[in-house]
Amino acid sequence: MKESNLQPTHNQFASDNYAGICPEAMQAIHAANVGFVPSYGDDPWTERACEQLRQVFETECQVFFVFNGTAANSLALASLCRSYHSVICHELAHVETDECGAPEFFSNGTKLLHVGGPSGKFDLGEVERAITRRSDIHYPRPKVLSLTQATEVGTVYTPDEIGAASDLARHNGMRVHMDGARFANAVVSLNVAPADITWRAGVDVLCLGGAKNGMAVGEAVVFFDRNLALEFDYRCKQAGQLASKMRFISAPWIGMLESGAWLKNARHANSCAALLEKHLAAIDGISIMYPRQANSVFVEMPEAAADALRAAGWHFYSFIGSGGARFMCSWQTTEADVIMLADAVRLSSKQMR
Ligand SMILES: *Cc1c(COP(=O)(O)O)cnc(C)c1O
């Protein structure tokens, strides 16, 4: 590899997983790097990380650590379903659009049924229709309602919205799964206790994101209904998700939770996005696409302006329709980065007019 390819790049807004490892997570890895301890999760670090999560969620939840979000989601969903069941989710849900069929694969055929709804949140009426429109044997039986918090377009479900969705699911004999790849960003955005938007609102299992929050690797699967966690350890092992040196996956959780860095990082990323939104909204020809409630800003801009921005070296996604651009902030984004990006957007959109 050429030297230049190894240079770190700053100022990127493509994804919060472009960022590095935050100091609290890194220190925790160092602290765990002493001597010999039992493998496969039978170690004191893993026990302490689970205990920390029980304190954060104020309940006796059962916790498993896996390598990434796709594994967390698909194994959690598989544990809630049989092969002839279905999972209802939003049409933009990561489980539907970005997991390469892993939920269907690990559940041996469970079908995802997607519904619409504004701002990345499903419309409950549409969810209800998907549940009740058929009850015959030819339709895969709805068994799980899956919601993403914060959503794929940077909005958040309120505690009341989650409660109403859970009530509907319960009423129809279904379970509730939450994809929380950006859960911390939702917690600080709503200023609620983590329990208020999970088990107290009816969520059965949460896939809690670590990587985008500032860790190197790892997501926690948190079962609030412990009965659902039965044999989940075997599922993880079979799927290649059981780390032998588990302490290096679990210890960063201790560092993040005990120091409060998980919320500090999310608060920082959200406020960078708020600042970016403020600057972008003031630029002629740019419009904000969704309410900015977490750490991303989606804007509609002329395609030529987006091209010019890319040519100038900026990284961002534009998967939401033509002309839509997503700018994602992380724990590592700085205010200076935000101002520089806003200046670049202003320049590229001025050149286009
Ligand atoms: C990033 C992300 C995930 C996890 O993705 P992996 O690359 O598998 O870790 C899950 N859900 C959402 C909404 C995400 O943005």
Side-chain angles (χ1 to χ4, degrees), residues 124-164:
L124 264 200
E126 281 200 40
V127 171
E128 184 159 25
R129 276 190 293 284
I131 299 170
T132 57
R133 74 180 155 216
R134 297 267 297 270
S135 60
D136 59 271
I137 203 164
H138 306 283
Y139 187 66
R141 195 167 166 210
K143 194 67 184 175
V144 178
L145 182 57
S146 173
L147 52 96
T148 311
Q149 179 79 321
T151 72
E152 285 75 7
V153 297
T155 55
V156 298
Y157 286 94
T158 65
D160 284 350
E161 287 172 332
I162 299 166

mmCIF file of all heavy atoms in Angstrom, residues 124-164:
data_model
loop_
_atom_site.group_PDB
_atom_site.id
_atom_site.type_symbol
_atom_site.label_atom_id
_atom_site.label_comp_id
_atom_site.label_asym_id
_atom_site.label_seq_id
_atom_site.Cartn_x
_atom_site.Cartn_y
_atom_site.Cartn_z
ATOM 1 N N LEU A 124 -48.643 3.453 11.936
ATOM 2 C CA LEU A 124 -49.265 2.344 12.694
ATOM 3 C C LEU A 124 -50.475 1.749 11.983
ATOM 4 O O LEU A 124 -50.739 0.550 12.106
ATOM 5 C CB LEU A 124 -49.666 2.809 14.090
ATOM 6 C CG LEU A 124 -48.688 2.520 15.222
ATOM 7 C CD1 LEU A 124 -49.400 2.588 16.563
ATOM 8 C CD2 LEU A 124 -48.014 1.144 15.062
ATOM 9 N N GLY A 125 -51.200 2.603 11.233
ATOM 10 C CA GLY A 125 -52.333 2.099 10.463
ATOM 11 C C GLY A 125 -51.871 1.088 9.420
ATOM 12 O O GLY A 125 -52.483 0.033 9.238
ATOM 13 N N GLU A 126 -50.749 1.403 8.780
ATOM 14 C CA GLU A 126 -50.198 0.479 7.780
ATOM 15 C C GLU A 126 -49.699 -0.809 8.433
ATOM 16 O O GLU A 126 -49.840 -1.894 7.883
ATOM 17 C CB GLU A 126 -49.029 1.134 7.015
ATOM 18 C CG GLU A 126 -49.482 2.086 5.931
ATOM 19 C CD GLU A 126 -48.390 2.338 4.899
ATOM 20 O OE1 GLU A 126 -47.680 1.386 4.527
ATOM 21 O OE2 GLU A 126 -48.256 3.504 4.481
ATOM 22 N N VAL A 127 -49.118 -0.651 9.629
ATOM 23 C CA VAL A 127 -48.660 -1.846 10.357
ATOM 24 C C VAL A 127 -49.860 -2.734 10.656
ATOM 25 O O VAL A 127 -49.832 -3.952 10.424
ATOM 26 C CB VAL A 127 -47.941 -1.453 11.675
ATOM 27 C CG1 VAL A 127 -47.661 -2.691 12.519
ATOM 28 C CG2 VAL A 127 -46.647 -0.703 11.378
ATOM 29 N N GLU A 128 -50.924 -2.102 11.132
ATOM 30 C CA GLU A 128 -52.116 -2.882 11.489
ATOM 31 C C GLU A 128 -52.698 -3.605 10.273
ATOM 32 O O GLU A 128 -53.079 -4.771 10.357
ATOM 33 C CB GLU A 128 -53.175 -1.967 12.123
ATOM 34 C CG GLU A 128 -54.393 -2.742 12.592
ATOM 35 C CD GLU A 128 -55.198 -2.004 13.652
ATOM 36 O OE1 GLU A 128 -55.115 -0.751 13.690
ATOM 37 O OE2 GLU A 128 -55.897 -2.681 14.428
ATOM 38 N N ARG A 129 -52.722 -2.903 9.127
ATOM 39 C CA ARG A 129 -53.222 -3.548 7.900
ATOM 40 C C ARG A 129 -52.354 -4.736 7.513
ATOM 41 O O ARG A 129 -52.859 -5.784 7.112
ATOM 42 C CB ARG A 129 -53.302 -2.542 6.750
ATOM 43 C CG ARG A 129 -54.593 -1.717 6.756
ATOM 44 C CD ARG A 129 -54.781 -0.906 5.476
ATOM 45 N NE ARG A 129 -53.797 0.156 5.318
ATOM 46 C CZ ARG A 129 -53.827 1.307 5.998
ATOM 47 N NH1 ARG A 129 -54.773 1.535 6.891
ATOM 48 N NH2 ARG A 129 -52.899 2.230 5.799
ATOM 49 N N ALA A 130 -51.033 -4.582 7.661
ATOM 50 C CA ALA A 130 -50.127 -5.689 7.314
ATOM 51 C C ALA A 130 -50.362 -6.896 8.227
ATOM 52 O O ALA A 130 -50.196 -8.042 7.813
ATOM 53 C CB ALA A 130 -48.675 -5.231 7.408
ATOM 54 N N ILE A 131 -50.767 -6.599 9.479
ATOM 55 C CA ILE A 131 -51.011 -7.693 10.423
ATOM 56 C C ILE A 131 -52.342 -8.375 10.151
ATOM 57 O O ILE A 131 -52.458 -9.602 10.178
ATOM 58 C CB ILE A 131 -51.018 -7.175 11.887
ATOM 59 C CG1 ILE A 131 -49.658 -6.560 12.250
ATOM 60 C CG2 ILE A 131 -51.368 -8.298 12.864
ATOM 61 C CD1 ILE A 131 -49.668 -5.820 13.595
ATOM 62 N N THR A 132 -53.371 -7.537 9.869
ATOM 63 C CA THR A 132 -54.735 -8.082 9.856
ATOM 64 C C THR A 132 -55.296 -8.385 8.470
ATOM 65 O O THR A 132 -56.348 -9.006 8.360
ATOM 66 C CB THR A 132 -55.711 -7.094 10.551
ATOM 67 O OG1 THR A 132 -55.629 -5.830 9.881
ATOM 68 C CG2 THR A 132 -55.346 -6.918 12.015
ATOM 69 N N ARG A 133 -54.605 -7.954 7.399
ATOM 70 C CA ARG A 133 -55.226 -8.116 6.080
ATOM 71 C C ARG A 133 -55.396 -9.584 5.687
ATOM 72 O O ARG A 133 -56.234 -9.917 4.868
ATOM 73 C CB ARG A 133 -54.458 -7.347 5.014
ATOM 74 C CG ARG A 133 -53.138 -7.965 4.592
ATOM 75 C CD ARG A 133 -52.424 -7.138 3.536
ATOM 76 N NE ARG A 133 -50.992 -7.409 3.613
ATOM 77 C CZ ARG A 133 -50.041 -6.501 3.410
ATOM 78 N NH1 ARG A 133 -50.372 -5.265 3.122
ATOM 79 N NH2 ARG A 133 -48.780 -6.836 3.507
ATOM 80 N N ARG A 134 -54.573 -10.431 6.301
ATOM 81 C CA ARG A 134 -54.693 -11.854 5.973
ATOM 82 C C ARG A 134 -54.564 -12.671 7.260
ATOM 83 O O ARG A 134 -53.802 -12.329 8.147
ATOM 84 C CB ARG A 134 -53.569 -12.276 5.011
ATOM 85 C CG ARG A 134 -53.573 -11.596 3.655
ATOM 86 C CD ARG A 134 -54.330 -12.400 2.620
ATOM 87 N NE ARG A 134 -53.720 -13.714 2.369
ATOM 88 C CZ ARG A 134 -52.794 -13.942 1.437
ATOM 89 N NH1 ARG A 134 -52.346 -12.962 0.673
ATOM 90 N NH2 ARG A 134 -52.316 -15.152 1.259
ATOM 91 N N SER A 135 -55.315 -13.747 7.331
ATOM 92 C CA SER A 135 -55.121 -14.640 8.473
ATOM 93 C C SER A 135 -55.082 -16.083 7.998
ATOM 94 O O SER A 135 -55.093 -17.016 8.776
ATOM 95 C CB SER A 135 -56.245 -14.451 9.501
ATOM 96 O OG SER A 135 -57.483 -14.737 8.888
ATOM 97 N N ASP A 136 -55.009 -16.218 6.650
ATOM 98 C CA ASP A 136 -55.035 -17.575 6.094
ATOM 99 C C ASP A 136 -53.640 -18.197 6.122
ATOM 100 O O ASP A 136 -52.640 -17.542 6.392
ATOM 101 C CB ASP A 136 -55.561 -17.531 4.657
ATOM 102 C CG ASP A 136 -54.686 -16.654 3.780
ATOM 103 O OD1 ASP A 136 -54.949 -15.438 3.699
ATOM 104 O OD2 ASP A 136 -53.710 -17.190 3.211
ATOM 105 N N ILE A 137 -53.612 -19.442 5.789
ATOM 106 C CA ILE A 137 -52.378 -20.224 5.918
ATOM 107 C C ILE A 137 -51.350 -19.894 4.841
ATOM 108 O O ILE A 137 -50.186 -20.296 4.922
ATOM 109 C CB ILE A 137 -52.740 -21.731 5.909
ATOM 110 C CG1 ILE A 137 -51.639 -22.542 6.589
ATOM 111 C CG2 ILE A 137 -53.018 -22.220 4.494
ATOM 112 C CD1 ILE A 137 -52.076 -23.932 6.957
ATOM 113 N N HIS A 138 -51.758 -19.131 3.836
ATOM 114 C CA HIS A 138 -50.838 -18.827 2.736
ATOM 115 C C HIS A 138 -49.978 -17.589 2.976
ATOM 116 O O HIS A 138 -49.119 -17.248 2.171
ATOM 117 C CB HIS A 138 -51.629 -18.662 1.431
ATOM 118 C CG HIS A 138 -52.488 -19.840 1.138
ATOM 119 N ND1 HIS A 138 -51.996 -21.014 0.635
ATOM 120 C CD2 HIS A 138 -53.816 -20.052 1.343
ATOM 121 C CE1 HIS A 138 -52.977 -21.903 0.518
ATOM 122 N NE2 HIS A 138 -54.094 -21.342 0.947
ATOM 123 N N TYR A 139 -50.223 -16.916 4.075
ATOM 124 C CA TYR A 139 -49.541 -15.640 4.397
ATOM 125 C C TYR A 139 -48.601 -15.900 5.571
ATOM 126 O O TYR A 139 -48.997 -16.544 6.546
ATOM 127 C CB TYR A 139 -50.622 -14.632 4.776
ATOM 128 C CG TYR A 139 -50.170 -13.196 4.997
ATOM 129 C CD1 TYR A 139 -49.660 -12.429 3.959
ATOM 130 C CD2 TYR A 139 -50.317 -12.597 6.253
ATOM 131 C CE1 TYR A 139 -49.303 -11.091 4.168
ATOM 132 C CE2 TYR A 139 -49.968 -11.268 6.461
ATOM 133 C CZ TYR A 139 -49.461 -10.520 5.416
ATOM 134 O OH TYR A 139 -49.110 -9.208 5.610
ATOM 135 N N PRO A 140 -47.335 -15.444 5.495
ATOM 136 C CA PRO A 140 -46.421 -15.688 6.616
ATOM 137 C C PRO A 140 -46.909 -14.932 7.862
ATOM 138 O O PRO A 140 -47.136 -13.732 7.811
ATOM 139 C CB PRO A 140 -45.084 -15.137 6.117
ATOM 140 C CG PRO A 140 -45.441 -14.131 5.083
ATOM 141 C CD PRO A 140 -46.714 -14.599 4.446
ATOM 142 N N ARG A 141 -47.055 -15.635 8.941
ATOM 143 C CA ARG A 141 -47.737 -15.073 10.101
ATOM 144 C C ARG A 141 -46.900 -13.996 10.802
ATOM 145 O O ARG A 141 -45.791 -14.283 11.263
ATOM 146 C CB ARG A 141 -48.035 -16.218 11.073
ATOM 147 C CG ARG A 141 -49.016 -15.844 12.111
ATOM 148 C CD ARG A 141 -49.536 -17.042 12.853
ATOM 149 N NE ARG A 141 -50.211 -16.525 14.037
ATOM 150 C CZ ARG A 141 -50.307 -17.158 15.184
ATOM 151 N NH1 ARG A 141 -49.791 -18.363 15.325
ATOM 152 N NH2 ARG A 141 -50.920 -16.599 16.185
ATOM 153 N N PRO A 142 -47.420 -12.772 10.910
ATOM 154 C CA PRO A 142 -46.658 -11.700 11.573
ATOM 155 C C PRO A 142 -46.360 -12.056 13.024
ATOM 156 O O PRO A 142 -47.261 -12.393 13.787
ATOM 157 C CB PRO A 142 -47.584 -10.488 11.481
ATOM 158 C CG PRO A 142 -48.425 -10.748 10.273
ATOM 159 C CD PRO A 142 -48.667 -12.241 10.305
ATOM 160 N N LYS A 143 -45.088 -11.989 13.382
ATOM 161 C CA LYS A 143 -44.699 -12.396 14.732
ATOM 162 C C LYS A 143 -43.875 -11.336 15.451
ATOM 163 O O LYS A 143 -43.818 -11.319 16.679
ATOM 164 C CB LYS A 143 -43.879 -13.697 14.630
ATOM 165 C CG LYS A 143 -43.684 -14.413 15.929
ATOM 166 C CD LYS A 143 -45.001 -14.948 16.434
ATOM 167 C CE LYS A 143 -44.862 -15.591 17.803
ATOM 168 N NZ LYS A 143 -46.171 -16.007 18.333
ATOM 169 N N VAL A 144 -43.232 -10.462 14.682
ATOM 170 C CA VAL A 144 -42.388 -9.439 15.306
ATOM 171 C C VAL A 144 -42.617 -8.097 14.629
ATOM 172 O O VAL A 144 -42.748 -8.025 13.409
ATOM 173 C CB VAL A 144 -40.882 -9.794 15.176
ATOM 174 C CG1 VAL A 144 -40.017 -8.693 15.790
ATOM 175 C CG2 VAL A 144 -40.577 -11.126 15.830
ATOM 176 N N LEU A 145 -42.653 -7.050 15.449
ATOM 177 C CA LEU A 145 -42.636 -5.690 14.932
ATOM 178 C C LEU A 145 -41.250 -5.147 15.235
ATOM 179 O O LEU A 145 -40.807 -5.172 16.385
ATOM 180 C CB LEU A 145 -43.725 -4.849 15.610
ATOM 181 C CG LEU A 145 -43.860 -3.406 15.123
ATOM 182 C CD1 LEU A 145 -44.106 -3.333 13.622
ATOM 183 C CD2 LEU A 145 -45.018 -2.709 15.864
ATOM 184 N N SER A 146 -40.545 -4.703 14.182
ATOM 185 C CA SER A 146 -39.176 -4.224 14.360
ATOM 186 C C SER A 146 -39.116 -2.726 14.096
ATOM 187 O O SER A 146 -39.567 -2.258 13.053
ATOM 188 C CB SER A 146 -38.246 -4.958 13.386
ATOM 189 O OG SER A 146 -36.954 -4.395 13.429
ATOM 190 N N LEU A 147 -38.587 -1.985 15.051
ATOM 191 C CA LEU A 147 -38.425 -0.549 14.810
ATOM 192 C C LEU A 147 -36.985 -0.134 15.048
ATOM 193 O O LEU A 147 -36.270 -0.752 15.825
ATOM 194 C CB LEU A 147 -39.411 0.271 15.628
ATOM 195 C CG LEU A 147 -39.542 0.072 17.128
ATOM 196 C CD1 LEU A 147 -38.695 1.083 17.854
ATOM 197 C CD2 LEU A 147 -40.992 0.238 17.543
ATOM 198 N N THR A 148 -36.581 0.910 14.341
ATOM 199 C CA THR A 148 -35.198 1.391 14.414
ATOM 200 C C THR A 148 -35.183 2.701 15.195
ATOM 201 O O THR A 148 -35.955 3.615 14.902
ATOM 202 C CB THR A 148 -34.637 1.630 12.997
ATOM 203 O OG1 THR A 148 -34.896 0.482 12.197
ATOM 204 C CG2 THR A 148 -33.140 1.876 13.056
ATOM 205 N N GLN A 149 -34.292 2.751 16.203
ATOM 206 C CA GLN A 149 -34.232 3.920 17.096
ATOM 207 C C GLN A 149 -32.784 4.291 17.321
ATOM 208 O O GLN A 149 -32.052 3.500 17.907
ATOM 209 C CB GLN A 149 -34.927 3.543 18.426
ATOM 210 C CG GLN A 149 -34.947 4.592 19.491
ATOM 211 C CD GLN A 149 -36.006 5.688 19.296
ATOM 212 O OE1 GLN A 149 -36.247 6.140 18.176
ATOM 213 N NE2 GLN A 149 -36.591 6.141 20.366
ATOM 214 N N ALA A 150 -32.290 5.459 16.890
ATOM 215 C CA ALA A 150 -32.909 6.406 15.991
ATOM 216 C C ALA A 150 -33.076 5.776 14.596
ATOM 217 O O ALA A 150 -32.378 4.828 14.255
ATOM 218 C CB ALA A 150 -32.044 7.666 15.900
ATOM 219 N N THR A 151 -33.995 6.334 13.810
ATOM 220 C CA THR A 151 -34.297 5.724 12.517
ATOM 221 C C THR A 151 -33.183 5.956 11.499
ATOM 222 O O THR A 151 -32.258 6.738 11.734
ATOM 223 C CB THR A 151 -35.595 6.313 11.903
ATOM 224 O OG1 THR A 151 -35.323 7.650 11.462
ATOM 225 C CG2 THR A 151 -36.732 6.319 12.900
ATOM 226 N N GLU A 152 -33.327 5.293 10.369
ATOM 227 C CA GLU A 152 -32.355 5.393 9.281
ATOM 228 C C GLU A 152 -32.269 6.800 8.712
ATOM 229 O O GLU A 152 -31.299 7.132 8.038
ATOM 230 C CB GLU A 152 -32.718 4.398 8.171
ATOM 231 C CG GLU A 152 -32.408 2.948 8.493
ATOM 232 C CD GLU A 152 -33.372 2.305 9.486
ATOM 233 O OE1 GLU A 152 -34.386 2.929 9.851
ATOM 234 O OE2 GLU A 152 -33.110 1.171 9.906
ATOM 235 N N VAL A 153 -33.273 7.641 8.948
ATOM 236 C CA VAL A 153 -33.191 9.015 8.439
ATOM 237 C C VAL A 153 -33.044 10.030 9.576
ATOM 238 O O VAL A 153 -33.340 11.218 9.414
ATOM 239 C CB VAL A 153 -34.382 9.380 7.507
ATOM 240 C CG1 VAL A 153 -34.370 8.488 6.273
ATOM 241 C CG2 VAL A 153 -35.714 9.301 8.228
ATOM 242 N N GLY A 154 -32.571 9.555 10.715
ATOM 243 C CA GLY A 154 -32.186 10.464 11.789
ATOM 244 C C GLY A 154 -33.332 11.050 12.590
ATOM 245 O O GLY A 154 -33.183 12.110 13.195
ATOM 246 N N THR A 155 -34.466 10.372 12.600
ATOM 247 C CA THR A 155 -35.576 10.794 13.450
ATOM 248 C C THR A 155 -35.687 9.821 14.620
ATOM 249 O O THR A 155 -35.023 8.774 14.620
ATOM 250 C CB THR A 155 -36.902 10.797 12.657
ATOM 251 O OG1 THR A 155 -37.090 9.497 12.081
ATOM 252 C CG2 THR A 155 -36.870 11.847 11.560
ATOM 253 N N VAL A 156 -36.500 10.173 15.611
ATOM 254 C CA VAL A 156 -36.659 9.274 16.757
ATOM 255 C C VAL A 156 -38.131 9.006 17.037
ATOM 256 O O VAL A 156 -38.987 9.863 16.823
ATOM 257 C CB VAL A 156 -35.982 9.831 18.036
ATOM 258 C CG1 VAL A 156 -34.479 9.979 17.830
ATOM 259 C CG2 VAL A 156 -36.589 11.159 18.457
ATOM 260 N N TYR A 157 -38.414 7.805 17.497
ATOM 261 C CA TYR A 157 -39.758 7.464 17.989
ATOM 262 C C TYR A 157 -39.855 7.954 19.438
ATOM 263 O O TYR A 157 -38.934 7.720 20.231
ATOM 264 C CB TYR A 157 -39.955 5.944 17.992
ATOM 265 C CG TYR A 157 -40.145 5.284 16.651
ATOM 266 C CD1 TYR A 157 -39.058 4.744 15.958
ATOM 267 C CD2 TYR A 157 -41.416 5.132 16.092
ATOM 268 C CE1 TYR A 157 -39.232 4.092 14.736
ATOM 269 C CE2 TYR A 157 -41.601 4.479 14.873
ATOM 270 C CZ TYR A 157 -40.504 3.955 14.207
ATOM 271 O OH TYR A 157 -40.679 3.300 13.004
ATOM 272 N N THR A 158 -40.954 8.606 19.786
ATOM 273 C CA THR A 158 -41.160 9.041 21.167
ATOM 274 C C THR A 158 -41.563 7.839 22.023
ATOM 275 O O THR A 158 -42.002 6.805 21.487
ATOM 276 C CB THR A 158 -42.292 10.085 21.255
ATOM 277 O OG1 THR A 158 -43.522 9.442 20.866
ATOM 278 C CG2 THR A 158 -42.025 11.284 20.355
ATOM 279 N N PRO A 159 -41.452 7.951 23.353
ATOM 280 C CA PRO A 159 -41.901 6.852 24.212
ATOM 281 C C PRO A 159 -43.359 6.474 23.935
ATOM 282 O O PRO A 159 -43.702 5.285 23.924
ATOM 283 C CB PRO A 159 -41.740 7.425 25.624
ATOM 284 C CG PRO A 159 -40.664 8.459 25.498
ATOM 285 C CD PRO A 159 -40.817 9.048 24.131
ATOM 286 N N ASP A 160 -44.206 7.469 23.698
ATOM 287 C CA ASP A 160 -45.624 7.182 23.420
ATOM 288 C C ASP A 160 -45.798 6.410 22.115
ATOM 289 O O ASP A 160 -46.626 5.492 22.029
ATOM 290 C CB ASP A 160 -46.437 8.483 23.344
ATOM 291 C CG ASP A 160 -46.703 9.053 24.726
ATOM 292 O OD1 ASP A 160 -46.423 8.342 25.728
ATOM 293 O OD2 ASP A 160 -47.169 10.201 24.813
ATOM 294 N N GLU A 161 -45.027 6.796 21.105
ATOM 295 C CA GLU A 161 -45.128 6.094 19.813
ATOM 296 C C GLU A 161 -44.673 4.643 19.960
ATOM 297 O O GLU A 161 -45.278 3.730 19.383
ATOM 298 C CB GLU A 161 -44.271 6.808 18.760
ATOM 299 C CG GLU A 161 -44.873 8.119 18.287
ATOM 300 C CD GLU A 161 -43.941 8.930 17.392
ATOM 301 O OE1 GLU A 161 -42.703 8.810 17.516
ATOM 302 O OE2 GLU A 161 -44.459 9.700 16.567
ATOM 303 N N ILE A 162 -43.622 4.436 20.739
ATOM 304 C CA ILE A 162 -43.138 3.065 20.938
ATOM 305 C C ILE A 162 -44.170 2.262 21.728
ATOM 306 O O ILE A 162 -44.469 1.111 21.398
ATOM 307 C CB ILE A 162 -41.775 3.065 21.675
ATOM 308 C CG1 ILE A 162 -40.733 3.822 20.840
ATOM 309 C CG2 ILE A 162 -41.295 1.640 21.950
ATOM 310 C CD1 ILE A 162 -39.464 4.164 21.603
ATOM 311 N N GLY A 163 -44.746 2.913 22.742
ATOM 312 C CA GLY A 163 -45.772 2.254 23.551
ATOM 313 C C GLY A 163 -46.971 1.842 22.711
ATOM 314 O O GLY A 163 -47.479 0.725 22.840
ATOM 315 N N ALA A 164 -47.408 2.743 21.822
ATOM 316 C CA ALA A 164 -48.570 2.438 20.978
ATOM 317 C C ALA A 164 -48.247 1.295 20.015
ATOM 318 O O ALA A 164 -49.070 0.399 19.784
ATOM 319 C CB ALA A 164 -48.991 3.681 20.203
#
